[in-house]
């Protein structure tokens, strides 16, 4: 439940574009020092939601408070206390990495010497010291994302807002950025991020809000959500034809069944009982028993909401 100390409080927030409800009666809160993710498929309303947090978009109705302020009337005050990295955030291509950060510090009223000292410290924290005199075009995609977050932290924000911070990055660059963000969280920085990467949400976030069609359909810690929906283990059965559905559902101990690609996922509290039942069925390949993950939760929640996830970009 939200409290007077909550960094973000959203209650019944709505935003529509014509007849399309991008955000539909959305409620959540974020407490100091936690990392909270809005997780969902493309078009779920995640970007619209975070843009309303700092007044880039105005809500149609509902209550929204960020750092105790209303983004509709006090967006400028909120932005001075936040670090923001949007999907389309851009660097000044005519300035070095160091000067990009220093300029942002000057825009927040810092002296030139203070802005430079802060920039040097942050560039070191994000592993960009040796790149500080390079121009953005000379940096890899992962380095550019790290530089954008470096720039967003120059004003020592109370809240860091990241809209899909690792989209488009290769696995190595994504892991490097996750490590830096985890270190920020350990230092007590409050983070709100949007993502559709399950591993990102699992690694970084204290709590997750799963959003579909602008509505929050589930909320909790990653572990809570996994236990609530998927239990401790999942059994994967490969059946390309998909003809064994009724047979698999009838196995004693099976509680949920979900079809994805050429696999059927079986969820059960007693996986050994299900494996014994599968041994009596003629399968193309041996079933695979594995730990349940947040991706299993995601698939089950989307199926329950009647949503077919299309994550092609």
């Amino acid at each position: 439940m939200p409290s007077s100390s909550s960094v973000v409080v959203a209650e019944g927030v709505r935003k529509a574009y014509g007849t399309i409800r991008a955000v539909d009666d959305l409620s959540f809160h974020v407490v100091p020092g936690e990392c909270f993710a809005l997780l969902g498929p493309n078009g779920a309303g995640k970007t619209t939601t975070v843009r309303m947090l700092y007044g880039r978009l105005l809500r149609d109705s509902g209550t929204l408070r960020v750092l105790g302020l209303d983004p509709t009337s006090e967006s400028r005050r909120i932005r001075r206390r936040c670090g923001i990295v949007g999907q389309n955030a851009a660097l000044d291509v005519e300035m070095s990495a160091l000067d990009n950060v220093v300029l942002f510090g000057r825009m927040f009223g810092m002296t030139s010497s203070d802005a430079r000292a802060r920039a040097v410290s942050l560039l070191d924290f994000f592993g960009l010291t040796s790149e500080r005199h390079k121009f953005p075009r000379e940096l890899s995609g992962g380095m550019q994302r790290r530089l954008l977050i470096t720039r967003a932290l120059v004003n020592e924000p109370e809240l860091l807002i990241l809209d899909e911070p690792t989209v488009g990055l290769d696995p190595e660059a994504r892991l490097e950025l996750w490590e830096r963000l985890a270190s920020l969280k350990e230092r007590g920085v409050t983070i709100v991020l949007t993502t559709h990467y399950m591993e990102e949400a699992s690694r970084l976030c204290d709590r997750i809000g799963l959003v579909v069609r602008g509505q929050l359909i589930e909320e909790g810690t990653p572990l809570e959500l996994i236990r609530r929906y998927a239990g401790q283990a999942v059994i994967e059965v490969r059946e390309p034809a998909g003809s064994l559905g009724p047979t698999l559902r009838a196995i004693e101990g099976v509680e949920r069944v979900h079809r994805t690609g050429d696999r059927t996922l079986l969820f059960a509290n007693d996986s050994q009982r299900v494996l014994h039942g599968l041994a009596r069925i003629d399968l193309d390949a041996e079933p695979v028993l594995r730990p349940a993950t947040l991706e299993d939760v995601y698939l089950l929640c989307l199926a329950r909401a009647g949503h077919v996830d299309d994550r092609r970009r």
Side-chain angles (χ1 to χ4, degrees):
M1 294 292 292
S3 68
S4 58
S5 64
S6 294
V7 177
V8 176
V9 177
E11 296 178 345
V13 174
R14 291 183 173 89
K15 178 66 179 179
Y17 301 100
T19 60
I20 299 174
R21 294 182 180 180
V23 176
D24 189 8
D25 197 25
L26 189 64
S27 299
F28 66 93
H29 72 284
V30 181
V31 301
E34 80 170 335
C35 180
F36 179 84
L38 291 171
L39 173 67
N42 293 332
K46 307 185 300 296
T47 293
T48 297
T49 299
V50 295
R51 286 178 176 175
M52 287 191 286
L53 296 184
Y54 55 92
R56 171 77 179 273
L57 293 174
L58 301 182
R59 67 189 184 278
D60 295 333
S61 60
T63 299
L64 188 57
R65 293 290 183 274
V66 179
L67 299 167
L69 304 171
D70 187 337
T72 298
S73 57
E74 300 174 289
S75 63
R76 186 166 295 182
R77 292 178 64 191
I78 289 172
R79 292 186 197 196
R80 292 194 67 83
R81 297 169 62 184
C82 287
I84 302 162
V85 180
Q87 286 188 45
N88 300 317
L91 298 162
D92 190 322
V93 298
E94 301 299 326
M95 302 182 74
S96 68
L98 176 62
D99 288 340
N100 262 276
V101 182
V102 171
L103 177 63
F104 248 57
R106 297 288 286 152
M107 291 170 63
F108 279 98
M110 299 172 67
T111 65
S112 179
S113 59
D114 285 347
R116 186 176 181 85
R118 175 71 174 159
V120 168
S121 175
L122 286 169
L123 288 167
D124 180 62
F125 174 78
F126 275 95
L128 293 171
T129 296
S130 61
E131 321 297 331
R132 65 187 183 279
H133 296 306
K134 292 184 179 180
F135 292 90
R137 62 179 174 273
E138 300 175 278
L139 304 177
S140 67
M143 289 178 180
Q144 289 183 33
R145 294 303 285 181
R146 279 188 275 159
L147 180 56
L148 284 166
I149 297 174
T150 298
R151 193 177 67 176
L153 291 168
V154 72
N155 60 322
E156 298 187 80
E158 298 167 61
L159 172 64
L160 181 61
I161 300 173
L162 306 173
D163 192 7
E164 299 198 5
T166 62
V167 67
L169 299 186
D170 62 54
E172 183 179 4
R174 188 175 295 135
L175 284 170
E176 288 178 355
L177 190 50
W178 287 346
E179 290 175 0
R180 305 295 174 175
L181 293 176
S183 295
L184 285 177
K185 192 178 76 168
E186 290 174 0
R187 295 184 177 196
V189 177
T190 304
I191 302 173
V192 173
L193 65 87
T194 73
T195 185
H196 58 255
Y197 293 128
M198 304 305 115
E199 188 179 1
E200 184 161 275
S202 295
R203 280 174 173 260
L204 293 178
C205 299
D206 300 293
R207 288 189 303 119
I208 295 166
L210 182 55
V211 183
V212 176
R213 299 192 189 94
Q215 296 183 327
L216 189 76
I217 63 172
E218 273 299 345
E219 183 180 0
T221 69
L223 186 58
E224 285 173 348
L225 292 174
I226 290 170
R227 287 178 174 172
R228 189 181 307 162
Y229 276 88
Q232 294 186 345
V234 179
I235 300 169
E236 291 191 9
V237 177
R238 187 176 182 275
E239 46 146 353
S243 58
L244 293 178
T247 302
L248 297 175
R249 286 182 175 83
I251 293 175
E252 185 177 0
V254 171
E255 297 181 3
R256 294 187 182 92
V257 176
H258 182 78
R259 175 81 179 168
T260 176
D262 65 351
R263 297 170 299 141
T264 298
L265 309 182
L266 307 180
F267 300 88
N269 287 324
D270 189 346
S271 54
Q272 291 305 314
R273 182 190 300 179
V274 175
L275 287 172
H276 286 312
L278 287 170
R280 304 187 191 99
I281 300 173
D282 185 20
L283 299 173
D284 291 339
E286 286 292 316
V288 176
L289 177 65
R290 61 167 176 79
T293 67
L294 192 60
E295 184 167 357
D296 297 316
V297 175
Y298 184 80
L299 293 172
L300 289 169
C301 285
L302 291 184
R304 190 188 70 171
H307 181 92
V308 178
D309 182 22
D310 180 3
R311 280 178 277 171
R312 293 173 296 177
R313 299 191 67 81

